[in-house]
Amino acid sequence: MTFSRDGKTLIVHLEGTINYSNSAEVKAEIRNEIREHDRDLILDLKNLEFADSSGIGVMISLLKTITAKGGFIKMCSPNDELSFVLKMTKVDLIIPLFETLGDAKKNLAADYLGA
Amino acid sequence: MNGKSGKITLKSDKTVIESTILKFLTDYLSEERKSCQFKIRLILSELLANSHFHGNQGDSEKNVVFEFRFDGRILYLDIRDEGLGFSIRNDKEMLSFIEEEFGRGLLIIREIAEEITANEAGLISVKVDLSKL
């Protein structure tokens, strides 16, 4: 997992697998990276190969963390299989899902333009 | 790949469970479509994690027994742990707990599998039709 920043947006580039075996560690690592000035979060799923319900739990947990800070959270670039899981569990209804990182950033900017 | 079956007794340990799942996929489902392998991995992850965390209370001294039969189309999975068993509850609608961090595992299994049954002795049986995945 790597991190990058775009203004007040922390972008988390997830990799490999997030499941029952490592979800607690992944959640802790991301939370530890969130700084006071980080307002919004984008979860870049491009290199995330697999996630189970525990992985989805991490995403929901981050939604709560970022919402509490007054920010927005988005997801982008899932593979086809991951997209199936996110839509089947309806996570995409509460964490908007985009095909590309650029689309996620644009949507985030639009949230603030509309605010 | 026809007529495969087996019984694996594994330690209730996250690392052992993960390696068992990946080995099962490699040994028995490597010729299946990627999406199919993903969904079987998902079901096994949910089932075995449930047995480890809930059935065996995370106790690595306990075991999980994983039996399977695969006729090339239908995959039958029987998972038994050392817990007290549970009944398959009539789940709430997904939207009713969409913002909860936990509770999606069974719903994921239900969505992918043809059948799932559980008895009070800690046995969970799942039937998956791979042709529909």
Side-chain angles (χ1 to χ4, degrees):
Chain A
M1 170 174 24
T2 58
F3 301 94
S4 62
R5 285 185 168 77
D6 181 9
K8 292 184 175 181
T9 304
L10 175 65
I11 304 169
V12 184
H13 306 278
L14 296 165
E15 297 170 358
T17 291
I18 306 177
N19 65 3
Y20 62 89
S21 71
N22 66 351
S23 59
E25 290 81 3
V26 170
K27 182 163 68 177
E29 189 175 345
I30 297 171
R31 280 190 171 165
N32 193 45
E33 183 65 25
I34 298 174
R35 303 280 182 263
E36 195 174 340
H37 62 266
D38 293 323
R39 183 186 57 192
D40 307 305
L41 189 68
I42 295 177
L43 298 173
D44 176 10
L45 311 179
K46 187 177 176 182
N47 293 314
L48 183 63
E49 293 165 16
F50 181 83
D52 66 1
S53 62
S54 301
I56 290 168
V58 172
M59 297 170 190
I60 303 295
S61 169
L62 293 169
L63 164 71
K64 292 177 178 176
T65 301
I66 290 300
T67 303
K69 282 169 70 73
F72 295 101
I73 180 170
K74 316 285 178 184
M75 302 183 285
C76 68
S77 316
N79 63 38
D80 290 345
E81 290 76 26
L82 206 51
S83 183
F84 160 81
V85 180
L86 296 171
K87 289 174 181 172
M88 184 247 285
T89 54
K90 303 193 190 311
V91 176
D92 62 323
L93 296 183
I94 53 172
I95 305 179
L97 179 61
F98 300 91
E99 284 191 15
T100 68
L101 179 57
D103 289 344
K105 286 181 180 177
K106 278 181 198 168
N107 185 266
L108 199 50
D111 282 340
Y112 287 100
L113 279 175
Chain B
M1 187 176 293
N2 295 314
K4 300 288 184 183
S5 64
K7 179 177 181 178
I8 303 165
T9 300
L10 56 145
K11 205 166 97 168
S12 195
D13 172 273
K14 289 190 286 186
T15 306
V16 173
I17 289 171
E18 187 65 358
S19 62
T20 301
I21 292 172
L22 295 177
K23 186 173 188 313
F24 175 78
L25 293 172
T26 302
D27 289 352
Y28 299 101
L29 298 175
S30 60
E31 294 170 19
E32 300 296 330
R33 286 167 289 119
K34 192 179 168 191
S35 62
C36 185
Q37 291 185 40
F38 185 99
K39 288 170 186 169
I40 299 301
R41 183 180 179 187
L42 194 51
I43 282 186
L44 286 172
S45 296
E46 301 299 347
L47 287 170
L48 293 172
N50 176 74
S51 285
H52 173 62
F53 290 108
H54 301 293
N56 290 342
Q57 301 290 303
D59 183 352
S60 61
E61 296 299 313
K62 293 182 176 177
N63 290 321
V64 179
V65 179
F66 163 37
E67 286 187 74
F68 65 91
R69 283 181 291 128
F70 182 47
D71 65 8
R73 177 180 165 186
I74 307 292
L75 176 64
Y76 296 92
L77 302 167
D78 288 339
I79 310 288
R80 186 189 302 276
D81 56 50
E82 297 185 40
L84 298 173
F86 69 95
S87 59
I88 301 291
R89 66 191 190 280
N90 195 8
D91 283 280
K92 297 177 282 185
E93 285 295 317
M94 182 75 80
L95 283 171
S96 69
F97 61 97
I98 192 168
E99 294 190 16
E100 297 297 322
E101 285 180 45
F102 307 101
R104 289 177 175 78
L106 186 56
L107 283 150
I108 287 174
I109 298 169
R110 278 187 191 284
E111 191 70 24
I112 297 171
E114 293 282 298
E115 293 174 17
I116 174 169
T117 56
N119 70 16
E120 291 176 358
L123 174 69
I124 301 177
S125 299
V126 173
K127 175 185 172 186
V128 190
D129 184 341
L130 272 68
S131 72
K132 295 181 180 177
L133 299 184

